[in-house]
Amino acid sequence: MSPAPIGALTGAGPQNEPFWMSLRSIPILLFALVLVACAKPPLASIPQVEREAMSARLMRDIETLASDEFGGRRPGTPGGQMTVDYLTQRFAEVGLESGTNDPANPWRAPVNLTAIRGIDSQVELMVGDQTIPLTREEAVAVTSLQRVLIAEAQMVFVGYEAETVPTERIAGKVAVMLADRSLNPERRILLEAKQASAVIVVPDLTPRFEALIVERIRRDAGRQKIALSSDVDEVFAAVATPEAMARALGQQTWTALTDAASAPGFAPIDLDASVNIEATTERRDFVSYNVVGRLPGSGDGASQDRRAVLLLAHWDHLGECAPPGSLDRICNGAVDNASGLAAILELTRRLAQGGPYQHDIYVLATTAEEVGLLGAQSFVANPPIPLDTIVGAFNFDTVALAPEGSPVGFVGEGRTPLDPLILEALAETGRALGNRQFAESFVKRHDGWILLGKGVPAVLLSSAFASEITAGPYFESAYHRPSDESDNIELGGAIDDLLLHEKLVKRLAIPVAPQP
């Protein structure tokens, strides 16, 4: 190809115009070219009247789910049960059928949970004819059971050892182990596996940190924790400061023990002392539910080509979260995550109207996300379909923060095969990507992380996570607070995101052309 004349490149005027004069137009032309290159196509959307109708439907669901009547949607409470009932009804209304694939549990997949809160503990040593109680500042005992009592148990000092300790040396006895700041749980667990009746962990640190560790454990044990019942092991252990052990056993004896623990060839040492350890816990086992719906595909259910797209949002929140006596104690969770639930309901309604599709579309509302992504863990442990048939999972969490036309936060970018499809859809709809680093900081904080860990391509696409400028004020002022209420909802960006997901889901689920 031959080079073009200079005049054609610079936009020079008449041929008799001096060349130096044509150079003046270059900066103007370059600026224009930059503007053309940077210009984005108009944001793909829908007529304003349709946006307003969509906004009204979203707000109805948000206002209901985030009302005081639902009490903050905490699992195991009446408000949690009301939430499951409401979602079951709404799933059917928007066109879904039960997706549990379990006739005994339509719509509701049971999630067995255990709530644990430590109440009290006592540790006392018997040395000779003396009983020496350890104070609250010196020792704490914790258990996952309702009550455990060990009376007058023989003590054996194992120092820093665990793997080399013979089972017969500690079986039925209380092992006293030295530990660093982490408290070395792997060594404690190994000693318990060797049939130690309990383990007293003694942190080998400065006195200041030792006391802080005891206080931290006591404070942590006093907070209610919820876990999958299948993951709750029978834990019973105590932590005591070195000063407490020295006071009870005698400083000279304790110093000799710690010196011996660091010497070559150390072997466990039976102590001329026994111990009483008691711990009580408030423990409650209960059942919560994931709500699972399905928009069935038109393909043969037995076909090897049958695939599924998954939409999910967690339904739970914190319940009453403010201190007693506060004017408003309920964490209503309007943004987190009544907005996400409303979004998947509206998206499902639109998808059902636009079907049928070749592949199934599953819709999942998970429980117990706020306490450790537990509903998602239960889902992947007992999925209604093989996980490897899910071609894409799209999570909706805390979506109603950004105004219309905002960039998109791509949480999970670079982690799944979905990237080309998503980036293409963003370009087609005129959406820009937000701050990648900011979006990535949330990748482990949503249910999709559990799915990713099982090989399911899961992402969270939301204008709410496009930048700290958008999300920062919410996290600083309303996140997990009673102020997260319906009057703070911004649906402009959420509707943009919903329309983006509609495009993505249709491409993955593959609409079936109507028969002539």
Side-chain angles (χ1 to χ4, degrees), residues 398-423:
T398 311
V399 302
L401 293 177
E404 182 179 350
S406 297
V408 177
F410 187 169
V411 181
E413 183 181 9
R415 296 175 179 268
T416 77
L418 296 174
D419 284 24
L421 176 70
I422 292 170
L423 295 175

Side-chain angles (χ1 to χ4, degrees), residues 56-69:
R57 288 189 294 269
L58 289 166
M59 280 305 303
R60 279 196 294 271
D61 283 322
I62 292 170
E63 288 173 347
T64 300
L65 290 162
S67 66
D68 285 352
E69 184 182 3

Side-chain angles (χ1 to χ4, degrees), residues 228 230-231 374-384 387 450-451 454:
L228 293 173
S230 58
D231 290 344
L374 302 184
Q377 292 183 43
S378 180
F379 176 83
V380 300
N382 300 283
L387 294 177
I450 301 300
L451 295 166
K454 296 296 183 180

Side-chain angles (χ1 to χ4, degrees), residues 80-419:
Q81 186 59 51
M82 288 178 63
T83 305
V84 171
D85 292 343
Y86 180 81
L87 291 174
T88 302
Q89 175 185 332
R90 291 289 289 121
F91 273 29
E93 289 174 352
V94 297
L96 295 170
E97 63 182 41
S98 171
T100 61
N101 289 335
D102 179 4
N105 293 289
W107 297 107
R108 308 176 188 207
V111 180
N112 295 309
L113 299 171
T114 298
I116 296 173
R117 183 178 68 85
I119 298 176
D120 197 11
S121 69
Q122 177 67 47
V123 180
E124 55 185 19
L125 274 60
M126 281 76 71
V127 182
D129 59 357
Q130 287 188 314
T131 298
I132 306 165
L134 303 188
T135 67
R136 290 175 56 86
E137 293 73 26
E138 291 177 322
V140 60
V142 295
T143 183
S144 59
L145 305 175
Q146 287 188 321
R147 180 176 182 266
V148 177
L149 171 64
I150 291 180
E152 299 185 8
Q154 175 66 41
M155 302 169 69
V156 57
F157 179 74
V158 299
Y160 299 102
E161 300 300 322
E163 188 172 351
T164 62
V165 176
T167 298
E168 61 271 17
R169 290 287 285 113
I170 62 171
K173 301 177 182 178
V174 172
V176 179
M177 61 169 269
L178 298 176
D180 60 22
R181 189 172 184 174
S182 71
L183 302 185
N184 303 112
E186 69 287 345
R187 287 173 47 218
R188 175 183 60 77
I189 292 170
L190 182 54
L191 291 168
E192 291 172 344
K194 293 185 176 186
Q195 302 176 35
S197 58
V199 178
I200 297 178
V201 181
V202 183
D204 187 14
L205 299 168
T206 64
R208 175 173 171 267
F209 281 117
E210 291 154 0
L212 285 174
I213 285 177
V214 169
E215 175 57 28
R216 186 194 71 194
I217 293 172
R218 186 182 301 280
R219 187 170 57 247
D220 184 62
R223 298 191 185 103
Q224 186 184 79
K225 290 171 285 296
I226 298 178
L228 293 173
S229 298
S230 58
D231 290 344
V232 178
D233 297 323
E234 292 190 5
V235 173
F236 180 50
V239 177
T241 66
E243 285 70 23
M245 299 302 293
R247 181 172 68 84
L249 299 176
Q251 183 64 63
Q252 185 175 355
T253 299
W254 182 249
T255 300
L257 290 169
T258 55
D259 289 345
S262 301
F266 171 80
I269 301 171
D270 286 325
L271 301 181
D272 188 18
S274 58
V275 64
N276 295 332
I277 307 175
E278 182 178 12
T280 55
T281 296
E282 182 183 81
R283 173 173 171 149
R284 181 169 66 98
D285 298 309
F286 63 99
V287 180
S288 188
Y289 297 92
N290 288 335
V291 184
V292 191
R294 180 173 75 113
L295 196 62
S298 62
D300 178 7
S303 171
Q304 295 298 313
D305 295 330
R306 191 69 171 266
R307 295 290 183 265
V309 180
L310 176 65
L311 309 176
L312 67 154
H314 74 89
W315 62 253
D316 64 305
H317 202 55
L318 305 183
E320 292 187 356
C321 65
S326 301
L327 291 177
D328 184 0
R329 295 197 64 197
I330 297 175
C331 275
N332 301 87
V335 173
D336 180 18
N337 187 37
S339 67
L341 295 167
I344 62 169
L345 288 169
E346 175 64 13
L347 176 56
T348 301
R349 186 191 70 81
R350 293 177 64 88
L351 290 168
Q353 292 179 347
Y357 304 93
Q358 180 176 329
H359 300 310
D360 295 333
I361 298 173
Y362 276 81
V363 183
L364 169 67
T366 61
T367 183
E369 186 268 357
E370 298 286 5
V371 291
L373 315 181
L374 302 184
Q377 292 183 43
S378 180
F379 176 83
V380 300
N382 300 283
I385 53 173
L387 294 177
D388 61 5
T389 65
I390 300 176
V391 295
F394 300 93
N395 192 20
F396 291 75
D397 194 347
T398 311
V399 302
L401 293 177
E404 182 179 350
S406 297
V408 177
F410 187 169
V411 181
E413 183 181 9
R415 296 175 179 268
T416 77
L418 296 174
D419 284 24

Side-chain angles (χ1 to χ4, degrees), residues 460-500:
L460 191 160
L461 302 169
S462 173
S463 51
F465 298 103
S467 74
E468 192 170 1
I469 295 173
T470 299
Y474 168 76
F475 283 103
E476 291 173 3
S477 64
Y479 176 65
H480 286 184
R481 293 179 175 89
S483 53
D484 185 2
E485 297 188 307
S486 300
D487 53 3
N488 295 323
I489 290 292
E490 168 55 72
L491 289 176
I495 292 175
D496 292 341
D497 299 338
L498 195 156
L499 297 173
L500 172 65

